[in-house]
Amino acid sequence: MNSFADRFPQNLLDALRKARRVAVLTGSGISAESGVPTFRDAQTGLWAKFKPEDLATPEAFQRNPKLVWDWYAWRRELVSQAQPNVAHLALVELERRLPQFSLITQNVDGLHQRAGSRNVIELHGNITRTKCFEEDIPVEKWTASGETPPRCPRCGGHLRPDVVWFGETLPPAALERALAASRSCDLFFSIGTSTLVHPAASLPFEALQRGAIVVEINPDPTPLTARAHHTLRGAAGEVLPALLRAAWSGENAS
Ligand code: OAD
């Protein structure tokens, strides 16, 4: 039996089964059921408790590198304890079933890759990686000297997490791949994102403009909701597995 309350529209199931090129955009909502907090949910979101301008900008890091490093170290620890959930796993299965599949994520938690997704495009970096603040070059190993943040073994500059902060540009190659996938897909899913932070938020609209069918999975409305062809209201961990079962096992709730 399907736990998702609504019956999925037949034309959505047909479109999914027939799709050749699928692009998926995910946001922090897909990791919520793994215990990783979102950013903007009232009460539980990170930006309800912390100010982004104190923690997620280059200026914040220059003002107080220790505070920023420690905050990301806390989040890295949280992510390392988290496990991929059934929504991450459903996207692994979707990739296996479809000829061409791109998973564009704003998440820095690496849970898609840990679940087994292969073609993952990280738009906002990855919290498990580190780079040099001065040189903007990845750094894998450094000697702990007791100093926080640690120093770059090459230039002595501060090390920082390899994530995109407010005011910074996205990795150009990742953005290019994400745009290409969004513009060439026949089906686009936007899952667990508030669709507020650009340029990621423009991707579903790029897909719409090129004639793709756009599906949103989110318990709450977003700026995309009114334009999406299908809105599936609910938690990704409920909706996605049910959608796959409905499409390929014929289990559609009535
Ligand atoms: P937000 O916190 O802005 O939005 C999370 C979305 O997930 C909301 O629309 C929720 O309704 C939805 N949601 C919550 N629980 C869910 C669940 N179980 N299943 C599905 N959806 C659920 O997070 P993002 O959209 O990821 O940027 O935020 C975008 C960017 O803003 C982040 O990448 C980050 C942040 O500042 C940077 O750090 C550069």
Side-chain angles (χ1 to χ4, degrees):
M1 258 316 269
N2 211 323
S3 60
F4 187 56
D6 294 327
R7 190 185 164 87
F8 295 106
Q10 199 54 50
N11 58 354
L12 168 59
L13 299 180
D14 291 342
L16 185 53
R17 280 188 294 253
K18 280 195 219 130
R20 309 293 304 163
R21 293 167 173 225
V22 171
V24 175
L25 171 68
T26 62
S28 58
I30 198 163
S31 296
E33 290 155 89
S34 294
V36 180
T38 64
F39 292 93
R40 292 176 184 78
D41 279 301
Q43 319 293 333
T44 56
L46 290 172
W47 298 153
K49 296 177 190 152
F50 305 99
K51 284 192 198 156
E53 59 271 27
D54 289 343
L55 296 163
T57 69
E59 294 75 25
F61 186 74
Q62 278 169 317
R63 262 196 318 272
N64 196 340
K66 181 176 177 341
L67 176 81
V68 174
W69 178 272
D70 284 345
W71 190 66
Y72 279 92
W74 166 70
R75 284 181 56 201
R76 199 179 305 120
E77 178 60 24
L78 207 144
V79 160
S80 76
Q81 304 291 323
Q83 296 302 323
N85 65 54
V86 289
H88 295 108
L89 295 174
L91 292 181
V92 178
E93 187 185 335
L94 205 54
E95 181 167 28
R96 197 173 50 75
R97 286 184 178 277
L98 296 166
Q100 208 168 314
F101 182 85
S102 303
L103 177 43
I104 308 159
T105 189
Q106 297 164 88
N107 298 346
V108 297
D109 56 29
L111 287 175
H112 286 306
Q113 292 92 329
R114 281 172 54 197
S117 285
R118 299 165 82 93
N119 191 22
V120 181
I121 304 170
E122 290 181 324
L123 286 181
H124 292 167
N126 190 308
I127 201 168
T128 62
R129 291 194 305 259
T130 300
K131 64 179 183 178
C132 173
F133 182 76
E134 301 299 333
E135 303 170 299
D136 202 29
I137 294 173
V139 174
E140 280 174 22
K141 285 195 184 124
W142 60 89
T143 318
S145 68
E147 200 182 349
T148 309
R151 296 276 178 181
C152 171
R154 269 188 311 262
C155 77
H158 279 135
L159 295 182
R160 57 163 282 183
D162 188 1
V163 298
V164 175
W165 282 331
F166 289 100
E168 295 185 318
T169 51
L170 273 59
L175 182 57
E176 210 168 291
R177 281 174 66 205
L179 275 168
S182 306
R183 288 172 177 159
S184 63
C185 66
D186 30 53
L187 189 55
F188 185 102
F189 285 91
S190 180
I191 305 171
T193 175
S194 56
T195 330
L196 289 173
V197 177
H198 288 268
S202 63
L203 296 173
F205 297 95
E206 293 282 340
L208 274 171
Q209 225 167 32
R210 302 290 174 119
I213 295 171
V214 172
V215 183
E216 180 175 64
I217 301 178
N218 198 310
D220 292 319
T222 77
L224 175 65
T225 308
R227 302 275 311 279
H229 295 95
H230 300 279
T231 298
L232 306 177
R233 273 269 169 274
E238 256 183 74
V239 177
L240 268 173
L243 179 63
L244 265 64
R245 281 197 303 272
W248 282 288
S249 315
E251 279 181 47
N252 203 7
S254 50

Short mmCIF file of all heavy atoms in Angstrom, two decimals, residues 11 30 72 93 114 166 193:
data_model
loop_
_atom_site.label_atom_id
_atom_site.label_comp_id
_atom_site.label_asym_id
_atom_site.label_seq_id
_atom_site.Cartn_x
_atom_site.Cartn_y
_atom_site.Cartn_z
N ASN A 11 -0.92 10.89 -16.12
CA ASN A 11 -0.01 11.50 -17.12
C ASN A 11 1.40 11.73 -16.54
O ASN A 11 2.38 11.71 -17.27
CB ASN A 11 -0.59 12.78 -17.74
CG ASN A 11 -0.92 13.85 -16.72
OD1 ASN A 11 -0.82 13.62 -15.52
ND2 ASN A 11 -1.30 15.03 -17.20
N ILE A 30 15.57 17.54 1.19
CA ILE A 30 15.70 16.08 0.94
C ILE A 30 16.53 15.42 2.05
O ILE A 30 16.41 14.22 2.29
CB ILE A 30 16.26 15.77 -0.46
CG1 ILE A 30 15.96 14.31 -0.83
CG2 ILE A 30 17.76 16.05 -0.56
CD1 ILE A 30 16.07 13.96 -2.27
N TYR A 72 31.29 25.37 10.78
CA TYR A 72 31.31 24.35 9.72
C TYR A 72 31.80 23.01 10.25
O TYR A 72 31.36 21.96 9.80
CB TYR A 72 32.12 24.83 8.50
CG TYR A 72 31.28 25.74 7.63
CD1 TYR A 72 31.27 27.11 7.80
CD2 TYR A 72 30.43 25.20 6.65
CE1 TYR A 72 30.47 27.93 7.02
CE2 TYR A 72 29.62 26.01 5.89
CZ TYR A 72 29.65 27.38 6.07
OH TYR A 72 28.84 28.17 5.31
N GLU A 93 17.73 4.77 -7.46
CA GLU A 93 16.96 3.84 -8.30
C GLU A 93 16.50 4.52 -9.59
O GLU A 93 16.55 3.93 -10.67
CB GLU A 93 15.75 3.30 -7.52
CG GLU A 93 15.04 2.21 -8.30
CD GLU A 93 13.76 1.72 -7.65
OE1 GLU A 93 13.64 1.84 -6.42
OE2 GLU A 93 12.90 1.23 -8.41
N ARG A 114 26.85 9.33 -1.08
CA ARG A 114 26.93 8.21 -0.14
C ARG A 114 25.80 7.22 -0.36
O ARG A 114 25.95 6.03 -0.10
CB ARG A 114 26.93 8.74 1.30
CG ARG A 114 28.33 9.24 1.70
CD ARG A 114 28.32 9.94 3.04
NE ARG A 114 27.75 9.14 4.10
CZ ARG A 114 27.34 9.63 5.27
NH1 ARG A 114 27.47 10.93 5.51
NH2 ARG A 114 26.84 8.86 6.18
N PHE A 166 27.59 33.22 0.45
CA PHE A 166 26.86 34.35 -0.14
C PHE A 166 27.88 35.36 -0.68
O PHE A 166 28.88 35.64 -0.03
CB PHE A 166 25.96 35.01 0.90
CG PHE A 166 24.77 34.15 1.25
CD1 PHE A 166 24.76 33.40 2.41
CD2 PHE A 166 23.67 34.07 0.40
CE1 PHE A 166 23.68 32.57 2.72
CE2 PHE A 166 22.59 33.26 0.71
CZ PHE A 166 22.60 32.51 1.87
N THR A 193 13.48 22.12 -2.02
CA THR A 193 14.17 23.42 -2.04
C THR A 193 13.14 24.54 -2.03
O THR A 193 12.08 24.43 -2.66
CB THR A 193 15.11 23.56 -3.26
OG1 THR A 193 15.65 24.90 -3.27
CG2 THR A 193 14.43 23.27 -4.60
#
